[in-house]
Amino acid sequence: MHYLEDRSKTDIAEALGVSRFKVARLIELARQHGIVRIQIDDDSCVDLELSERLRSELGLQRAVVSTGDVALAAADLLPQLLSDGDVLGLPWSRTIARMVEQVHDLPVVDVVQLTGAHQSPGIDTSAVAIARAVARVSGGRSTLFFAPFVAEDAEAAATFARQPEVRAARAQLRRITHALVAAGAWQEGSSTVHDAISPTARRQAARQGVVGEVAGVLLDAQGRAVASATYDRLVTLSLRDLERIPHVVLLAAGAEKAQVVRAAVAGGFPEALVCDRALAQALLTT
């Protein structure tokens, strides 16, 4: 059922009336006794040589350079990173929204929503749906809240932050062991935050040194958080919150994101990067 029908451990456990842990143990026994064999496909969607060069260049623990969709590469990586009992943090991101569609099986982990929700053209999901979907696949609990990612103004954002659901999610931040976050360059079409604010606010943030954002955290070229009127409108976590998470994976695609990725690496919070070839090559030549 797991391998032939592509059903998750949670679905199998419900169908058989047993615990998810028993299903996981039976699958592991099947592999140990040779009933199930896993074969590595040589036609990999990961450029291994470029991945190692990038990992070494940036000083990361892991780098994955995808030859295809970064979201799919992240979905393939996620089960390798997590173990039963971990807590996963997920923000709103177009890349992460696509990743969730490809995640089929995970260890039992709780999932915490990191940012408010946002509706993006062409993507029929939100931060709430992202966290809920991953928790459903894993069989863990989800901590969710209903608030916008980008509020109308700082006062509205502060009001949302006082809601019990938002406060409950933020109280879970210290439990998070892993987080997947996406980088956005400070230009049109590359950042949800950039595109959601006025041209005047975009220019003001640029003058303050913003080169991009990660889960709404505005960064300068040195990886420092930029305090601005734009950040005050966001329902999200802080750079300090990101730094406290033991294992942060950064997702990014496109050569235009080289500067913000370098800024994030300079800030020291990501330990791993999943990107495409165009971005990898840009990072290796700048």
Side-chain angles (χ1 to χ4, degrees):
M1 296 171 73
H2 179 65
Y3 291 103
L4 298 181
E5 299 178 20
D6 198 26
R7 296 178 64 177
S8 72
K9 297 184 183 76
T10 300
D11 288 342
I12 296 171
E14 291 178 354
L16 299 180
V18 299
S19 72
R20 187 186 185 285
F21 295 100
K22 184 171 183 179
V23 172
R25 179 58 180 157
L26 290 172
I27 291 172
E28 180 60 28
L29 285 172
R31 291 176 60 183
Q32 290 177 4
H33 290 283
I35 299 170
V36 172
R37 292 194 300 271
I38 297 176
Q39 179 176 330
I40 304 299
D41 189 350
D42 289 336
D43 186 19
S44 175
C45 64
V46 175
D47 188 324
L48 297 178
E49 180 180 355
L50 197 56
S51 297
E52 176 54 27
R53 286 178 57 200
L54 188 62
R55 186 205 64 76
S56 178
E57 168 70 18
L58 298 182
L60 298 171
Q61 291 191 25
R62 185 192 301 252
V64 175
V65 178
S66 173
T67 60
D69 187 6
V70 167
L72 179 57
D76 289 341
L77 177 64
L78 189 57
Q80 303 174 42
L81 302 176
L82 299 173
S83 300
D84 287 341
D86 281 334
V87 179
L88 176 65
L90 293 173
W92 158 250
S93 157
R94 286 170 289 206
T95 302
I96 291 175
R98 296 200 316 276
M99 179 200 75
V100 169
E101 297 174 356
Q102 308 296 330
V103 173
H104 298 296
D105 191 58
L106 292 172
V108 180
V109 299
D110 290 344
V111 183
V112 178
Q113 180 183 335
L114 296 181
T115 72
H118 185 77
Q119 292 298 321
S120 184
I123 298 181
D124 185 22
T125 189
S126 68
V128 176
I130 287 170
R132 180 181 286 146
V134 175
R136 168 63 183 167
V137 172
S138 76
R141 296 172 298 175
S142 59
T143 301
L144 311 172
F145 59 88
F146 293 89
F149 188 11
V150 185
E152 183 176 356
D153 52 37
E155 183 178 355
T159 299
F160 284 117
R162 289 193 292 270
Q163 291 181 347
E165 296 85 357
V166 178
R167 293 172 62 187
R170 290 185 170 172
Q172 295 294 311
L173 290 177
R174 290 183 180 273
R175 293 186 59 232
I176 294 175
T177 58
H178 296 72
L180 266 67
V181 293
W186 202 246
Q187 62 185 60
E188 187 174 357
S190 181
S191 161
T192 296
V193 175
H194 177 279
D195 292 353
I197 61 178
S198 69
T200 300
R202 297 171 190 170
R203 291 191 294 269
Q204 181 183 18
R207 287 195 296 269
Q208 291 177 299
V210 173
V211 299
E213 52 88 13
V214 174
V217 177
L218 306 183
L219 299 176
D220 66 12
Q222 287 72 46
R224 298 171 301 204
V226 178
S228 72
T230 293
Y231 177 75
D232 292 341
R233 291 176 54 189
L234 304 181
V235 181
T236 188
L237 71 177
S238 68
L239 178 58
R240 180 60 180 148
D241 293 327
L242 272 176
E243 291 171 340
R244 286 173 175 155
I245 297 173
H247 309 287
V248 176
V249 180
L250 185 64
L251 313 183
E256 72 278 4
K257 295 185 179 179
Q259 189 175 22
V260 65
V261 169
R262 282 205 172 274
V265 172
F269 60 86
E271 71 170 23
L273 171 67
V274 182
C275 69
D276 60 1
R277 276 177 167 167
L279 178 53
Q281 290 164 351
L283 288 165
L284 290 169
T285 56
T286 56

